[in-house]
Amino acid sequence: MKEIFVKDLQANQTVTTTFLVKFKEVRAKKSGELYLSLILGDKSGELEAKMWDNIQDLDSSICRDDFVKVKGMVQVFRNRPQLTIHKLRKCREDEIDIADYFPKTTKDVEVMFEELLNLVDAVQNSYLRELLMSILVDENLAAKFKQAPAAKALHHAWLGGLLEHTLSLCRLCRLVASHYSDLDVDLLVSGAVLHDVGKIDELCYRRSFTYTNEGQLLGHMILALDLVNEKISQIEGFPRQLKTVVQHLIISHHGEYEFGSPKLPMFPEALVLHCLDNLDSKLEAMNAILRNEATADGYWTAYNQMFGRPIFKGFKENGQAHSEEDRDIKEPSQS
Amino acid sequence: MKEIFVKDLQANQTVTTTFLVKFKEVRAKKSGELYLSLILGDKSGELEAKMWDNIQDLDSSICRDDFVKVKGMVQVFRNRPQLTIHKLRKCREDEIDIADYFPKTTKDVEVMFEELLNLVDAVQNSYLRELLMSILVDENLAAKFKQAPAAKALHHAWLGGLLEHTLSLCRLCRLVASHYSDLDVDLLVSGAVLHDVGKIDELCYRRSFTYTNEGQLLGHMILALDLVNEKISQIEGFPRQLKTVVQHLIISHHGEYEFGSPKLPMFPEALVLHCLDNLDSKLEAMNAILRNEATADGYWTAYNQMFGRPIFKGFKENGQAHSEEDRDIKEPSQS
Amino acid sequence: MKEIFVKDLQANQTVTTTFLVKFKEVRAKKSGELYLSLILGDKSGELEAKMWDNIQDLDSSICRDDFVKVKGMVQVFRNRPQLTIHKLRKCREDEIDIADYFPKTTKDVEVMFEELLNLVDAVQNSYLRELLMSILVDENLAAKFKQAPAAKALHHAWLGGLLEHTLSLCRLCRLVASHYSDLDVDLLVSGAVLHDVGKIDELCYRRSFTYTNEGQLLGHMILALDLVNEKISQIEGFPRQLKTVVQHLIISHHGEYEFGSPKLPMFPEALVLHCLDNLDSKLEAMNAILRNEATADGYWTAYNQMFGRPIFKGFKENGQAHSEEDRDIKEPSQS
Amino acid sequence: MKEIFVKDLQANQTVTTTFLVKFKEVRAKKSGELYLSLILGDKSGELEAKMWDNIQDLDSSICRDDFVKVKGMVQVFRNRPQLTIHKLRKCREDEIDIADYFPKTTKDVEVMFEELLNLVDAVQNSYLRELLMSILVDENLAAKFKQAPAAKALHHAWLGGLLEHTLSLCRLCRLVASHYSDLDVDLLVSGAVLHDVGKIDELCYRRSFTYTNEGQLLGHMILALDLVNEKISQIEGFPRQLKTVVQHLIISHHGEYEFGSPKLPMFPEALVLHCLDNLDSKLEAMNAILRNEATADGYWTAYNQMFGRPIFKGFKENGQAHSEEDRDIKEPSQS
Amino acid sequence: MKEIFVKDLQANQTVTTTFLVKFKEVRAKKSGELYLSLILGDKSGELEAKMWDNIQDLDSSICRDDFVKVKGMVQVFRNRPQLTIHKLRKCREDEIDIADYFPKTTKDVEVMFEELLNLVDAVQNSYLRELLMSILVDENLAAKFKQAPAAKALHHAWLGGLLEHTLSLCRLCRLVASHYSDLDVDLLVSGAVLHDVGKIDELCYRRSFTYTNEGQLLGHMILALDLVNEKISQIEGFPRQLKTVVQHLIISHHGEYEFGSPKLPMFPEALVLHCLDNLDSKLEAMNAILRNEATADGYWTAYNQMFGRPIFKGFKENGQAHSEEDRDIKEPSQS
Amino acid sequence: MKEIFVKDLQANQTVTTTFLVKFKEVRAKKSGELYLSLILGDKSGELEAKMWDNIQDLDSSICRDDFVKVKGMVQVFRNRPQLTIHKLRKCREDEIDIADYFPKTTKDVEVMFEELLNLVDAVQNSYLRELLMSILVDENLAAKFKQAPAAKALHHAWLGGLLEHTLSLCRLCRLVASHYSDLDVDLLVSGAVLHDVGKIDELCYRRSFTYTNEGQLLGHMILALDLVNEKISQIEGFPRQLKTVVQHLIISHHGEYEFGSPKLPMFPEALVLHCLDNLDSKLEAMNAILRNEATADGYWTAYNQMFGRPIFKGFKENGQAHSEEDRDIKEPSQS
């Protein structure tokens, strides 16, 4: 177990613990001497760190995505901790529990996975059920499915995020199918389980979250097709037309050409899948922004690039509902 | 009660009944003589009609949006009836039951309205509940609310369509709020009830569906603001901040500048309202297209302007599910 | 052999021959009697046809995409033939040579295919060569490849068009690779052969050119991936990275998200393939427009929807080059 | 002088007069006999005309843009006259006064031109004044300048329209320069006179209004540059920098790349010229639409393609001002 | 009266005066000690300031938008003053004359307001005149109207800017209405006075210029509607149609959906109002950029984000007009 | 000859040599003392330089685009050299060989120019050949043509780049014309030679690469027209229609309005010229990015602004072809 986490660091504290290196650069002081500038992280956050002296003695092979053990002194400003490093060395693998270094779903992965299996088990169409099960019971795929984030950034960008997003979408699909009785709930749930499954190979999430070569060159929709093709080829008698319908659900789920969908949703279930995926991802992205700035002053978050606007935190100060007071407030913190 | 409806007309039948005039033009035959070309309609559909002779004796004031009584002979081609008119006169108001002439929701308006009242009654925030109720119990507004279509065309474009769409959206909001526990269900339901309420004045639906002058110049979002302003001014102590939040829900619900929203959704409830309104309208629009072409041959509807694509009717022929057969079909009827 | 073709019909000629039905409608005369309105075609063009009398005796099952034998009288106006039909019946399969009814490449299909095989044989990389060969020597695929058009409309929209476009692009790729020495000509030629191969299943070209269900729901890029996946799975040791590169060439060849490419070209060969495919298709499309209006008056073709402009036929009247004269012409026929 | 104009034709009148042929087509009757379908026009409007019999005796060389003399019988329907032609022949040049056949400015061309000369004479900068004068005193150019329309359609699309628009813009420039004292009025007026001068060669306006070959291939901005280049080369010592500034005013006046300006306005006078040109053309286009539909029923014009919306005719019925009454009007004619 | 202003600071000067805090941050030196980094401002400009020592003794509540009294030493580099602070304390309200701290119109606010009242007094339509007057004579509103900037940045971004822009637009409207006699000058002037009046509540301008919560959530067009609604409701007999027309003028004045107008200008006065508002704001924005860089070297301003281009300062060096010389200059400073 | 170049600088080396000043600023130390911050460059690269002391004795007139002689000490970090300056003075012109300071084509300019002359000499149309020759044999123009870069940045942004790009495009045009026999190779080669010739005046390339005033205000297409106009006016009998065609080739070569083409390609040669210019510039730009990052780790270049994506370096590690191995690589360096 890691000794202490970023979010628990106190000003003027001397700490000895391990971190993941997120960024490393050697810079020159005015005197010409070199110093080390790092960004270190664990699952609870990041902090800047500087090592001013004796860096010539360091293992020069330390680089991004390595784990290091450091001893240093914490300072705090802008409400953020910063570390002056006195000692630094690379860690051995056996000193590390990887779960300490990445943001991770707050939910129980096994419980979520169990629920997903139950939802899949409820699929009536035997071909679709067999297809979905063949992926979820494949040990290698299941392991990745439980670990993968749903995105490099933006929404559900944490270990287990893909599973969390997939399960949420499955539930939404069932709720909405209960409202519109004409919808084929089997197709909806299948689309929900498969739509982002390619992300297990699109993203690399053993260190920092980045794209794999395949992910960058092909994207998760094409990777999902490869996976689905392979599994379907092992199912005796899987109807060709049903395969086409499943492929369409996958490639149309971004809903717009400019978001990388080569086809637009062409039947009701494809339309609904796109709308609900859009809802779940955008809502979670907005909530993530709000959580990140929950303690900052003001009624507004900073301008957000993805949304193209700041997000409003609401008038609910002090646990009060919107309507219980009527102060005339004129100075939002938004700039 | 009307004698016979468009959908029931048979070839070679002689009929005497009433219709609404949708289009009227006087044209010349090659001989120089004039004849009358009409499109007539009732709630079940439209048909072309021609009156070849004696049109100089007609009441020249007959025009679009008038009700007429005709006697004539039905012919059918392209699977569509056509009428050769022998006699034609304008109707008296007392000969007409307006409900016979417009497409209308297939659901019971009073039942839907009752359910909407119940949903509003469940709103916890007393200011919001009072605001919504003040509209629904306003006899003049309630009458229009029960009658208005939700659009001139595209989706829920029938009498009662506004109520049907509003109720569907309210239910969706509650389902989705049950899934995401952080959402303020009162705000969502309020947004759902109010988002399109301006349509009661944007559209004219006493004859053909068109825009009113106000509707064309201001749009239903601005008209909703006027209505909400008026009602709020009559509620003692309605919080100013809550009013701002409600106004934002209304003006941001189209979600994009290019669809006429002057502001984009800036907090979670506004985002969810936009997403679900989008889902309910697009899905109903797609279903309407599918219903219209249900009996036509082929796997595809005609190219649809609004969606920018044809819609796929699915492989479910003969009541069979998608997966039960695997015919290799290559000739869709889509051109 | 068909007796006579559309382009050879003369005014006032009585003909007896076979045609493909492109469009059929039963319409009513003013008297209420029905008549038949058809568009008939063969490989040389289309003509309108009317059968005014005795249509009640016709085989009512005659419809679009059937072959029919007609006897009738030709009239000509707007420089176009029109047919008044006296007799009409459905054809037996054995009366028809399908090649008479579709526009077809003017080049020799077998010669082109042979040249394509030679170009593929020159590919140095054995994995790529084997992949390409596995498609071209697959009898079923080769037969379709020789027959498929390259598009439903716009460019190379004739039987053999896919082969013609593919071969032209292969040659261009080799020319351009001779100019830029860094380019990997094997990748370019592989991309050229595979980029549109999915069109053999995207389009239906046994009667009129339309999309198949698969083609409409998935598009030719996804269909090509399916085909390439299947063939690669049969090649021992095909490098996974090379597969990724080939898949990227296929899915990025449209070059823009809005044209259905889920990824943009990310390395030089992908960029060059896109640019040359764009050049070959747009140039052929422009030439097709010019050919179609070659004999019409004026310096300009009609406004063209795809290009968003009329095309200029040039000043080369009377076989003279651009520069040999200097008439001041001010009245183009373009409207 | 022409005997009678389109706008004065009465139902059942027999007329003998001259028209310009706007459209001509030979069509077939059901019997196979041919008839002639024409659109004829003069400066007051257009009318459809049919010649049913004896067309084999006609001068077959009659075609679009010819002047013809016709004798025929007028019918009226849809409030529009139609002509059944009994006799038809081509006109001799000496039978025609060209001013009878084209819409033309309602203002006095010579008076406008005189005013334009005065405005140019008031330009202080001697180089600019000389440049502008060199164009206006060039007899060939002045003749075209007085005759050219300002557009093929849309705004000021009539003989003299270019002069009318140019003069209006010059006056606006002077008014606005009186408001913003920093603006260089000489540059503004020069830009106003020159910005559309290329239209004298872009458009052909001796018969119907169409583009010339040069106009289509280069556009009026490039043609204006050619003209300005030529005139400046004849002015001793014209400053090179001033030439650059004038060229920029011309090529940036459309204000957006998508409207064909290769550069955007980069200094205040260029910005103002663009804004005022935009104002004058759009306002005149809107007024033209309103004039065209002034007598039609309803509060709205038809949907207008260029504006992407219908235009509101205003509530000013019966000569009353906007505010004097408050009828609740709900049925606009817009569909 | 403030002792000294930013623009008058000299290098090596020791000053004691008051400033507004525009930005504040506590940072760490390498030693771990903290220092204070500020941006201070007054109406004449801004300067960076650092306090290196003794910051632990400071009133920790000092923050952005506070007024402070400082003693320190001025240094100058990059032609800009910088301050090293020795002493710092918060100010009492009575030490501050707010007019010293904000950029402000260079014109006399009362004179401008008087002129605006006169223009409003000249409005013929009594309803409109009463509406406009009811706003201008409302003491609370008038006070804000005189003080508000016209924008947070970009154009007229100074105290009194809204009034300056509004008055300029009114005058332009009258000039242009004198040119186009059909325009209803009353509507134009009303639109000009009301189009941006919502900015008195959209922006907060008692400290730095930011958006209010209402401003961010609703925008100045919707806020203007609220205000106009309220005032109209107090005018006996204000015609409903005239209200609709006024509302349309307000909500359409941005002219494009993407700039937040939910409706596009649909009648001539709305079109003209949009065009002239666009002209006045863009021209003033361009002039502001030119003023800001008037003393910098080179023919070009820096690249401007809003315009998407650098602005040309002109060739007018040494007070000479454009045309009086012809140096061939090739090295603009623009990069 | 320059003593040493940027790319050859070693850590801790003391150097005395000349550089071009790319950027200069005087800054303040915390103490208030000033120091000098420079960016210096030569044809091999750039480096940051600081002069900490004695800057009051410097020639204050030293500024950007001056040549300076420096003595200083090299430090290296981030793999980049940095210079601490001890002595600094302006250079005399005779100390400088301008070729040492700019990136330059790696090809022999005279050999390229000779080849271009040969290609022009092969043009059959005598008017076009004379036009092209008149430019290439004009000593002033030829000197600029040999020296100009093809762009300020992005592609061929080095001395001689215009010639290199022009020659490459001419060759491509001839290759492609050999493939499509209908193309007029004379027009293609003429377009290739002239399309960017305006860049000799659009860009300033005697110091850093920037736009000239003319270049910024008019752009290279308009400047090319001026040049072509002038040369054509000196060619007896140059056909007016041919001039129009040449002008169209020049102004349409960017292919899209948004890239500054006022007209789109309207005949085959214009289309081909645009496509090949696009291919040559984009491919060279992509290659330049790959060259710049050839030695950096990872499979991907950094995100590129112009392409809107990172570029893939390929799997070709260790000189091996794509297919010879199949390592499963998952961690691209791309972030």
Side-chain angles (χ1 to χ4, degrees), chain B residues 25-28 30-32 34 64 144 152 201 204 206 210-213 216-217, chain D residues 29 52 75-78 82 84 299-300 310 312 315 329-335:
Chain B
E25 210 169 59
V26 177
R27 295 180 182 159
K30 195 194 302 181
S31 63
L34 301 179
R64 187 177 140 193
K144 289 184 186 174
K152 200 182 124 193
D201 290 323
C204 170
R206 281 183 290 172
T210 61
Y211 291 106
T212 60
N213 285 332
Q216 188 83 272
L217 287 168
Chain D
K29 304 184 209 174
W52 298 107
Q75 284 138 5
V76 174
F77 69 90
R78 303 190 219 185
Q82 200 182 40
T84 301
Y299 290 89
W300 295 88
F312 186 56
F315 291 111
I329 288 149
K330 281 287 172 50
E331 291 94 356
S333 67
Q334 192 263 349
S335 64

Side-chain angles (χ1 to χ4, degrees), chain D residues 57-74:
Chain D
D57 305 328
L58 287 177
D59 177 354
S60 67
S61 73
I62 288 175
C63 63
R64 186 176 141 196
D65 291 341
D66 278 336
F67 292 99
V68 292
K69 183 138 203 171
V70 300
K71 180 178 174 187
M73 163 76 143
V74 180

Side-chain angles (χ1 to χ4, degrees), chain D residues 90-108:
Chain D
K90 229 170 167 175
C91 288
R92 295 183 313 274
E93 283 287 316
D94 65 359
E95 290 176 293
I96 298 300
D97 175 356
I98 218 157
D100 289 340
Y101 300 90
F102 292 103
K104 200 177 151 184
T105 177
T106 57
K107 299 181 181 154
D108 184 313

Side-chain angles (χ1 to χ4, degrees), chain A residues 29 52 75-78 82 84 299-300 310 312 315 329-335, chain E residues 25-28 30-32 34 64 144 152 201 204 206 210-213 216-217:
Chain A
K29 304 184 208 174
W52 297 108
Q75 284 138 7
V76 175
F77 70 87
R78 301 192 220 182
Q82 200 182 42
T84 301
Y299 290 89
W300 295 88
F312 185 56
F315 290 113
I329 288 148
K330 282 290 175 47
E331 290 93 359
S333 68
Q334 191 266 351
S335 64
Chain E
E25 209 169 56
V26 178
R27 294 178 182 164
K30 194 192 305 179
S31 63
L34 302 178
R64 187 177 140 194
K144 290 183 185 176
K152 199 183 124 194
D201 291 322
C204 169
R206 280 181 291 170
T210 60
Y211 291 105
T212 60
N213 285 332
Q216 188 81 273
L217 287 168

Side-chain angles (χ1 to χ4, degrees), chain C residues 290-305:
Chain C
L290 289 168
R291 279 195 305 269
N292 281 345
E293 305 200 23
T295 59
D297 285 347
Y299 290 90
W300 295 89
T301 70
Y303 178 88
N304 180 269
Q305 201 66 38

